[in-house]
């Protein structure tokens, strides 16, 4: 089944002087899915998200969010009106109380969901009477999430939403995101926490040094990807080892490690025909992430 796209970029590039923060990035985010956006520190995740929101302009390339052009200032206003964003800087009015800020934000959104507001106030135990500037970092994140989720947006973009949350709150947030997705909201979120991504994402995009290095359904990764370790009796067999399904190969001496996304039987048969001793092991998201970023660095 092909999914409608809520985000689409083509060759998106952002340069800061000589730093190429995002390089030739073409990606899609599908409707009603949870898409995890992974990458090391400085990989270009926040820069990509800021371009999608029209907060910074691409150096080159194009992008659309909900069909609106990210480079057109008028259309990017519409993007920000239609989607919800929770970023590193929560951008909340510190001088208001929590209750005032909720009331103030509610007044801008006709589709505001009072039931979501009420249940998240309860779940997150938000201190309604306190000034926003006086609440903890984790509470500010929770408040920003409430303000985003109660709007019931078509798309919610979150930049490291679990930063600063305690383990219980992280579980609550992940559950809320799944509920929101079930109710029809598309979710695009960046994270360094592979276990969280593995827990809720339908699809995973990985970038490294500003470039897309992996785009897969999580179920495909968990069901089909595996590591194949090969030990050859001589080194000369390796150059011929290039088959369908091989995503990455690392070679050290007579040993090779292959990350395969499909065709495991074919790869194993080929390796055995070259007299290699073969071992196949399943992988998780963490293995694949480490494999890919290690190779890149
Ligand atoms: N305003 C800026 N001026 C100059 N360089 C910048 C600016 N913003 C980001 N960069 C650089 O662009 C690259 C990508 O940064 P970005 O913040 O997008 O990465 P990230 O994947 O979000 O990292 P993290 O996971 O650490 O938040 C980095 O090398 C960063 O130093």
């Amino acid at each position: 089944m092909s999914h409608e796209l809520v985000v689409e970029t083509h060759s998106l590039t952002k340069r800061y002087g000589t730093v190429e923060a995002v390089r030739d990035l073409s990606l899609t985010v599908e409707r009603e899915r949870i898409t995890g956006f992974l990458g090391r520190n400085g990989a270009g995740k926040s820069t990509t998200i800021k371009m999608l929101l029209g907060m910074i302009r691409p150096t080159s390339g194009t992008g659309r969010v909900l069909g609106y052009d990210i480079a057109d200032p008028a259309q990017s206003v519409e993007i920000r009106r239609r989607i919800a964003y929770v970023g590193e800087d929560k951008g909340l009015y510190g001088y208001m109380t929590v209750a005032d800020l909720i009331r103030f934000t509610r007044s801008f959104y006709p589709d505001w969901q009072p039931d979501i507001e009420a249940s998240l106030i309860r779940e997150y135990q938000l201190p309604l009477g306190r000034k926003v500037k006086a609440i903890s970092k984790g509470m500010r994140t929770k408040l920003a999430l409430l303000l985003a989720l109660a709007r019931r947006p078509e798309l919610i973009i979150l930049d490291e939403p679990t930063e600063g949350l305690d383990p219980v709150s992280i579980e609550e947030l992940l559950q809320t995101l799944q509920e929101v997705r079930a109710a029809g909201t598309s979710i695009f979120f960046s994270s360094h926490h592979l276990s969280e991504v593995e827990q809720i994402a339908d699809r995973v995009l990985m970038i490294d040094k500003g470039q897309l290095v992996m785009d897969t359904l999580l179920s495909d990764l968990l069901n089909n990807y595996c590591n194949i370790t090969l030990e050859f009796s001589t080194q000369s067999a390796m150059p011929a080892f290039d088959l369908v399904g091989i995503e990455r190969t690392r070679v050290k001496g007579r040993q090779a490690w292959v990350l395969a996304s499909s065709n495991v039987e074919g790869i194993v048969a080929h390796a055995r025909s070259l007299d290699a001793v073969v071992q196949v092991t399943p992988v998780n998201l963490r293995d694949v992430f480490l494999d890919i970023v290690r190779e890149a660095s």
Side-chain angles (χ1 to χ4, degrees), residues 32-47:
E32 292 184 26
R33 276 196 160 149
I34 299 181
T35 304
F37 193 31
L38 292 173
R40 299 186 69 181
N41 289 129
K45 301 179 297 297
S46 299
T47 305

Side-chain angles (χ1 to χ4, degrees), residues 55-68:
M55 290 159 72
I56 53 174
R57 285 178 71 88
T59 307
S60 60
T62 59
R64 290 193 169 270
V65 175
L66 300 176
Y68 297 101

